[in-house]
Amino acid sequence: MDYDFKKIERKWQEKWRSEGTYKVSEDSSKPKFYVLDMFPYPSGAGLHVGHPLGYIASDIYSRYKRLRGFNVLHPMGYDAFGLPAEQYAIQTGQHPEVTTMKNIARYREQLDRIGFCYDWSREVRTCDPEYYKWTQWAFLKMFGSWFDPAQNKARPIEELIAKLETTGYEDVTPEMWAAASEKEKSDILMRWRIAYLGETSVNWCEGLGTVLANDEVKDGLSVRGGFPVEQKKMKQWQLRVSTYAGRLLESLDSLSWTDSLKEMQRNWIGKSEGTEVVFNTVCDGRELPVTIFTTRVDTIFGVTFMVLAPESELVDQLTAESRKDAVAAYVKEVRKKTERERIAETKSVTGVFAGSYGINPLTGEKVPIWISEYVLAGYGTGAIMAVPAHDSRDYAFAKKFGLPIVPIIEGCDVSEQSFDAKEGKMCNSGFLNGMDVKVAIEAAKDYAEAHGLGRRKTNYRLRDAIFSRQRYWGEPFPIYYKDGIPMPVDEKDLPLTLPEIESFKPSANGEPPLARAKDWTYKGYPLETSTMPGFAGSSAYYLRYMDPHNGEALVSRKANEYWRNVDLYVGGTEHATGHLIYSRFWNKFLFDLGYVCCDEPFAKLVNQGMIQGRSNFVYRIVGTNKFVSLGLKDQYETTEIHVDINIVRNDKLDLDAFKAWRPEFADAEFVLENGEYICGWAVEKMSKSMYNVVNPDDICDTYGADTLRLYEMFLGPIEQSKPWDTKGIDGVNRFLKKFWRLFYDRDQWLVVDEKASPAELKALHKLIGKEQEDIEAMSYNTNISAFMIALSELGECHKREVLEPLVVLLSPFAPHMAEELWEALGHTTSVCDAAFPEYVEAYTVEDNVTYPVQFNGKMRFTVDLPKSASPAEVEAAVRALPQTAKYVLEGQSIVKVIVVPGRIINIVVK
RNA sequence: GCCCGAAUGGCGGAAUUGGUAGACGCGCUGGACUCAAAAUCCAGUGUCCCUUAAAGACGUGCCGGUUCGAUCCCGGCUUUGGGCACCA
């Protein structure tokens, strides 16, 4: 029987499905292991070869863990709510659900062909009401909770209400609370609810007609669609993620994530320890204390002006009568700008004098107060003290508006630029004079606190997440408005299902699409018309997989305590500051309220690299329909044209296919080199427009899924981005064929029950040892190499004793072939349920001669000696080493001397 | 501008993290089988010197350092990928 991958793969995929081979359930007799892929958004374009990279990696790991006796949870689902389906719906009128379901079916078909061991009975779809019931439930819990800074965790809002009634909380006294109307009480609680409705400056995207979260905006453009985004004050639902900033930062240390990803999250959370200092201000004779935030109190003697953010509430109070018009004009100007314009103009400095003055609390000096967009309203207090000598932004501002620059560090030159470094000795700084800057920072903080001028304060850049989207295709908020007061829908009435509407466009008066829904009410009151953003559904999906059909809870306590959290999470870095922050926040929140038992959702995370496309080009001679091969193109004036990579093989163009590709090339002529047309190439993003998309289905057709799996892993380390290049695919395909031939020669079954030779056992066990090591480290490419070496070492070995374990070792990589051979070997159960072969080190010991001698140095030496040298000769050789060596060896002894074939001795010293 | 990471043959990439650099695969060259091709198998394949071989020299982006010994450690560059960017 030849290796007929098509027949084999179809057979086993069918069998896995009908027999439920990959179905798992809680089994307390086995240790659990949870392997998760970031579930995909099912786009209309289908999968390309880049998508399965991570899926294959995690699949191999899952299969390996199962062989090692773990009960492995390896589920898959779809992040099915999202903008593209809705955009498509607006254009075509087709319901987003219809396109989404169609795309899901297509994804499933493509995924199934690759032979993943997903337990599909646990599939989740975020757009399924049975699923989003629990997204809405979590939102209600957040609405019904507040973050208690004393306990550093979320607590039921009832506890806050009790506080308000008895002792009061912050600036709300029990008397105020008792006297408050229902509406006022709602407003008060809104200040602390974890999910809250609040007015803030949001990223408004006109092109998409919705607001966006910070991570959905890049360079002032929407990540989806690339439309400009502007700042707008709007009342939106938000999640108080910022209250978790400290915990999100701290527990990062306990995670096995890559350093670079942790660093990204650290930067995004942006902890900065500084001081809040109160400056008294004077405006038209009125006094007003203003709090500013600084990380460099030590530079306070160098303050020459203060700056307010244009959006700051202080602007009105600190604008002098005489400056009103100028300030108003400036603020209006700034507001008009989009985020993108602000970024583009980073280098230009703008601002206006407010006409008021601040009093330096240490020097009593009076400094002018300015307003400038370089100060952000959303960070710190929206007001700063400016020290132009030691802050480059303040410096640029001072230069532009002719404000004084006072250096306070000895010997620094501020004639050209500011001196931002935290080094040197202080001067012009009263009691700080002569101190080293780093010492001065602490001294100044202490001084400010001791004299009641300010207090230490830790600020985070992490903002609350804006949670409303003015869209249709998302989870409806379980919130209704009773006389304008937001009220939660009863838990028992969940899910609050998405209503049918006639058009998916925003309504004529600019309201979200849900405003079009008939009878969008609850208990006779209007329901919220925004929907939740994409990250809502993806924030807790890993919990739902543990118990996907539970109608009573997001996840039962029993299932959660068994599966706990994700042991291995595989996905791209693009979610570093979005999904991976929100998920952690969401999980911590549920943890605080006791719904889940782990504080962190993803213990270990591996980022697979991106697979880029490898585009091919042909070169048309300008003005003709003649195409010149790459090597000769410099002799002509040519234009570069992308050519479909499906008609190019190893950079050689299939001329007939090219002529048939497009009508205008039908009568193309060619200038060949050595009788062939060689195409140029470049690495680019894989996309339709560059004709470089490789569909995994095509690879499965030509080579089979097992080859695809093996090849994607053989390409290089999974974390690395690399271009897709089919050049080497024949190599792994050959490997599989060779593997097959150990069992079959055409129809001849070759396997015999003979005893394996020492050399064969050695080859086998070397591979077993290597596979354990490599798969644990997800170093699949080197493991496949080891497989190839083992095969060539085994030569014509057809012994069952060797081949049976070999099939098990192959099964994570090429499951279809492994199953087929496993069955042929007479097994009636799946190879998945085989045990991983036991590694016996004794078989693999190298030919190295080891001399047990004692030594306690810390060096290694190289000496020339015949392999047959006796211990005495080795000793003598060591004694003859260079002077330094001899010296170190004096009176000590050697641990291990290895004679490597090739007459060289390594004396390994521990 | 700031913060990470990377750089090794014609190509993708190995190297027990200080001890035989270039595993494995691709490609290429030659050979076997074949009427021929495909498939398969065998041998060779870092560079230079050389008719060839032996032998040798050089060789992990560049310059320098530590070391008996550096792809690996240290200092200074260059190129490149990614992230952040008025966060006081």
Side-chain angles (χ1 to χ4, degrees):
Chain A
M1 198 165 35
D2 273 337
Y3 170 43
D4 183 351
F5 61 82
K6 278 196 179 146
K7 206 171 125 196
I8 293 170
E9 288 175 3
R10 212 174 305 125
K11 170 181 163 186
W12 287 100
Q13 283 166 12
E14 181 42 47
K15 215 162 176 157
W16 292 334
R17 195 192 337 255
S18 63
E19 293 180 3
T21 310
Y22 302 123
K23 206 163 156 30
V24 287
S25 52
E26 288 78 71
D27 175 356
S28 56
S29 69
K30 283 189 195 170
K32 69 95 189 187
F33 203 88
Y34 188 175
V35 180
L36 184 64
D37 292 305
M38 289 185 186
F39 64 168
Y41 172 78
S43 85
L47 292 173
H48 65 62
V49 286
H51 296 110
L53 185 75
Y55 303 159
I56 294 171
S58 63
D59 197 67
I60 290 169
Y61 205 88
S62 305
R63 289 174 180 275
Y64 168 77
K65 278 289 176 186
R66 182 161 168 179
L67 294 176
R68 295 311 295 252
F70 287 86
N71 192 25
V72 179
L73 176 57
H74 189 217
M76 186 42 111
Y78 304 97
D79 188 12
F81 274 135
L83 278 175
E86 184 163 347
Q87 295 287 82
Y88 189 74
I90 291 171
Q91 286 158 20
T92 63
Q94 197 166 26
H95 196 288
E97 183 167 5
V98 175
T99 38
T100 303
M101 291 308 147
K102 210 174 91 195
N103 292 345
I104 286 178
R106 170 90 184 104
Y107 263 60
R108 177 64 191 274
E109 203 180 301
Q110 287 188 295
L111 289 171
D112 277 348
R113 289 203 65 182
I114 305 173
F116 293 120
C117 62
Y118 294 127
D119 176 358
W120 283 106
S121 72
R122 290 174 182 261
E123 178 191 325
V124 301
R125 300 174 179 189
T126 55
C127 65
D128 180 351
E130 285 313 302
Y131 178 87
Y132 68 66
K133 173 181 177 179
W134 298 105
T135 311
Q136 292 173 331
W137 169 84
F139 176 82
L140 284 184
K141 290 293 162 199
M142 290 181 195
F143 181 76
S145 303
W146 68 298
F147 191 88
D148 181 0
Q151 297 181 59
N152 197 18
K153 66 188 213 181
R155 300 299 305 159
I157 195 82
E158 288 73 24
E159 290 187 10
L160 177 64
I161 294 172
K163 255 191 222 295
L164 289 165
E165 283 168 352
T166 55
T167 59
Y169 188 68
E170 289 199 359
D171 56 347
V172 183
T173 60
E175 294 72 32
M176 284 164 69
W177 176 255
S181 68
E182 203 181 336
K183 172 86 175 96
E184 284 163 345
K185 281 185 175 168
S186 165
D187 288 345
I188 290 169
L189 293 178
M190 249 347 150
R191 290 171 55 192
W192 287 286
R193 289 185 192 274
I194 299 223
Y196 66 102
L197 193 56
E199 177 127 326
T200 54
S201 180
V202 298
N203 304 301
W204 171 255
C205 178
E206 189 63 46
L208 293 170
T210 186
V211 300
L212 297 170
N214 282 341
D215 66 283
E216 291 169 326
V217 181
K218 204 177 146 65
D219 297 332
L221 299 174
S222 64
V223 172
R224 288 219 185 258
F227 298 104
V229 171
E230 58 188 313
Q231 296 299 304
K232 205 168 164 181
K233 277 239 167 168
M234 288 177 78
K235 208 166 193 187
Q236 300 289 332
W237 283 100
Q238 297 175 56
L239 302 185
R240 218 174 287 277
V241 179
S242 60
T243 53
Y244 279 85
R247 278 169 62 190
L248 287 170
L249 188 70
E250 281 157 27
S251 55
L252 222 39
D253 294 334
S254 68
L255 302 176
S256 301
W257 295 13
T258 59
D259 290 337
S260 68
L261 196 86
K262 286 196 209 177
E263 202 51 37
M264 265 191 240
Q265 289 217 341
R266 283 192 194 103
N267 290 339
W268 190 259
I269 295 167
K271 181 177 181 169
S272 100
E273 287 169 342
T275 316
E276 280 186 349
V277 184
V278 181
F279 277 64
N280 237 320
T281 62
V282 191
C283 178
D284 291 341
R286 281 172 288 121
E287 286 193 17
L288 179 75
V290 168
T291 307
I292 59 98
F293 175 75
T294 178
T295 51
R296 294 289 302 274
V297 230
D298 57 304
T299 60
I300 197 159
F301 289 92
V303 173
T304 57
F305 58 103
M306 290 174 71
V307 187
L308 306 176
E311 297 89 353
S312 169
E313 285 152 17
L314 294 165
V315 169
D316 284 343
Q317 302 169 58
L318 290 176
T319 300
E321 204 52 46
S322 60
R323 301 291 301 161
K324 271 229 146 59
D325 293 345
V327 170
Y330 178 71
V331 171
K332 199 175 157 200
E333 185 74 11
V334 168
R335 247 187 216 153
K336 239 173 47 196
K337 286 188 196 172
T338 64
E339 183 79 352
R340 181 153 184 82
E341 283 164 343
R342 280 216 202 180
I343 290 167
E345 292 165 18
T346 295
K347 298 214 164 50
S348 72
V349 180
T350 67
V352 64
F353 176 49
S356 54
Y357 295 88
I359 315 292
N360 187 324
L362 265 86
T363 62
E365 198 186 336
K366 201 169 147 192
V367 295
I369 298 176
W370 285 68
I371 295 159
S372 171
E373 59 181 327
Y374 86 89
V375 174
L376 305 177
Y379 184 77
T381 60
I384 63 156
M385 64 177 211
V387 186
H390 303 289
D391 181 285
S392 51
R393 295 153 304 183
D394 298 344
Y395 186 86
F397 195 83
K399 278 278 177 191
K400 164 103 184 203
F401 294 103
L403 296 159
I405 299 169
V406 180
I408 49 140
I409 293 174
E410 272 177 30
C412 67
D413 173 18
V414 293
S415 59
E416 289 299 322
Q417 55 181 18
S418 62
F419 182 82
D420 292 13
K422 291 178 193 167
E423 52 195 42
K425 291 234 181 305
M426 306 295 296
C427 63
N428 303 329
S429 295
F431 70 97
L432 295 171
N433 280 340
M435 285 187 199
D436 193 79
V437 170
K438 290 194 180 77
V439 178
I441 292 176
E442 289 309 312
K445 281 183 184 177
D446 290 342
Y447 183 91
E449 281 191 321
H451 291 76
L453 305 173
R455 59 189 185 107
R456 280 164 205 262
K457 175 83 201 279
T458 300
N459 267 340
Y460 297 94
R461 285 160 62 176
L462 187 69
R463 311 291 165 80
D464 289 347
I466 295 158
F467 204 58
S468 311
R469 297 292 181 277
Q470 288 66 42
R471 310 299 303 196
Y472 172 73
W473 193 229
E475 299 87 349
F477 279 85
I479 291 286
Y480 65 99
Y481 293 90
K482 187 178 172 184
D483 308 323
I485 301 171
M487 303 287 285
V489 166
D490 281 353
E491 227 177 85
K492 64 172 170 51
D493 292 324
L494 297 181
L496 179 65
T497 52
L498 201 52
E500 291 303 317
I501 55 173
E502 279 138 31
S503 164
F504 305 102
K505 292 190 187 98
S507 74
N509 52 5
E511 283 190 80
L514 281 189
R516 294 170 178 271
K518 288 193 192 79
D519 200 29
W520 186 234
T521 57
Y522 180 77
K523 294 184 176 171
Y525 297 103
L527 279 156
E528 167 69 51
T529 52
S530 305
T531 55
M532 299 186 196
F535 69 81
S538 59
S539 286
Y541 75 112
Y542 55 91
L543 291 169
R544 191 60 183 164
Y545 282 135
M546 296 175 185
D547 198 4
H549 308 295
N550 191 334
E552 303 303 312
L554 167 64
V555 51
S556 73
R557 181 163 298 271
K558 186 169 158 267
N560 182 243
E561 278 175 357
Y562 181 71
W563 296 113
R564 304 191 69 80
N565 60 1
V566 177
D567 295 284
L568 175 67
Y569 196 24
V570 179
T573 21
E574 65 271 23
H575 298 106
T577 52
H579 163 62
L580 288 172
I581 293 265
Y582 298 129
S583 258
R584 293 181 61 217
F585 154 75
W586 203 285
N587 187 84
K588 280 181 191 299
F589 169 75
L590 294 175
F591 173 77
D592 284 353
L593 294 189
Y595 293 109
V596 300
C597 60
C598 284
D599 179 44
E600 280 289 337
F602 315 118
K604 179 179 169 146
L605 186 138
V606 170
N607 294 116
Q608 93 275 18
M610 288 224 281
I611 296 232
Q612 296 136 306
R614 189 177 185 279
S615 314
N616 275 116
F617 301 105
V618 292
Y619 303 92
R620 176 158 61 188
I621 300 171
V622 172
T624 69
N625 205 13
K626 214 170 185 180
F627 295 85
V628 57
S629 185
L630 177 68
L632 304 171
K633 80 176 173 83
D634 293 343
Q635 300 168 19
Y636 304 87
E637 194 189 334
T638 59
T639 38
E640 192 176 68
I641 299 171
H642 274 98
V643 59
D644 190 342
I645 52 157
N646 291 304
I647 56 172
V648 179
R649 204 178 142 81
N650 291 344
D651 287 341
K652 288 169 196 154
L653 183 66
D654 180 334
L655 301 182
D656 294 328
F658 181 71
K659 287 181 180 177
W661 183 40
R662 284 167 152 202
E664 66 262 39
F665 299 144
D667 52 356
E669 292 175 67
F670 303 96
V671 181
L672 306 177
E673 48 184 323
N674 305 323
E676 284 169 332
Y677 189 99
I678 310 293
C679 298
W681 61 274
V683 173
E684 294 173 308
K685 197 174 137 76
M686 201 169 267
S687 99
K688 269 184 178 170
S689 63
M690 293 167 182
Y691 300 105
N692 61 3
V693 175
V694 183
N695 186 329
D697 295 343
D698 295 339
I699 307 291
C700 288
D701 283 336
T702 320
Y703 294 98
D706 285 339
T707 299
L708 172 72
R709 292 169 62 102
L710 224 37
Y711 187 56
E712 291 221 7
M713 294 303 105
F714 191 60
L715 229 38
I718 49 165
E719 310 84 14
Q720 220 166 77
S721 285
K722 58 228 147 188
W724 176 262
D725 184 353
T726 32
K727 259 188 186 167
I729 200 166
D730 292 314
V732 288
N733 189 238
R734 232 167 263 166
F735 160 76
L736 284 178
K737 288 186 196 158
K738 209 166 146 185
F739 196 94
W740 183 261
R741 282 200 303 274
L742 289 176
F743 296 81
Y744 287 105
D745 178 19
R746 294 181 194 276
D747 286 331
Q748 181 78 39
W749 175 249
L750 301 173
V751 180
V752 292
D753 286 314
E754 271 174 42
K755 225 175 150 33
S757 70
E760 288 161 346
L761 286 174
K762 186 178 159 185
L764 173 67
H765 283 272
K766 213 164 76 183
L767 181 61
I768 297 170
K770 186 88 173 120
E771 178 150 329
Q772 296 181 159
E773 217 174 89
D774 284 345
I775 295 193
E776 293 287 353
M778 295 184 88
S779 176
Y780 302 137
N781 56 331
T782 54
N783 194 232
I784 294 167
S785 293
F787 240 113
M788 291 171 172
I789 294 167
L791 232 52
S792 73
E793 281 172 352
L794 286 172
E796 293 292 298
C797 173
H798 302 297
K799 297 167 186 169
R800 174 180 290 270
E801 190 185 348
V802 175
L803 296 189
E804 215 165 72
L806 218 52
V807 169
V808 178
L809 293 178
L810 182 74
S811 67
F813 295 95
H816 308 88
M817 181 188 277
E819 289 278 25
E820 182 69 18
L821 294 172
W822 192 245
E823 188 185 53
L825 284 165
H827 296 275
T828 52
T829 54
S830 167
V831 70
C832 299
D833 292 319
F836 192 83
E838 199 182 329
Y839 171 60
V840 182
E841 198 182 359
Y843 288 125
T844 65
V845 171
E846 287 297 333
D847 307 326
N848 299 338
V849 183
T850 305
Y851 297 95
V853 206
Q854 305 241 310
F855 181 75
N856 311 314
K858 261 210 165 187
M859 300 180 75
R860 286 162 160 242
F861 305 98
T862 305
V863 206
D864 285 337
L865 261 192
K867 197 175 160 185
S868 56
S870 70
E873 284 170 316
V874 174
E875 190 83 29
V878 170
R879 299 283 170 209
L881 282 170
Q883 289 300 308
T884 48
K886 249 187 212 165
Y887 180 75
V888 172
L889 278 170
E890 202 66 50
Q892 298 172 341
S893 37
I894 304 155
V895 175
K896 207 165 129 193
V897 179
I898 302 168
V899 180
V900 179
R903 302 185 305 123
I904 290 174
I905 296 183
N906 279 338
I907 299 154
V908 181
V909 186
K910 293 251 163 84

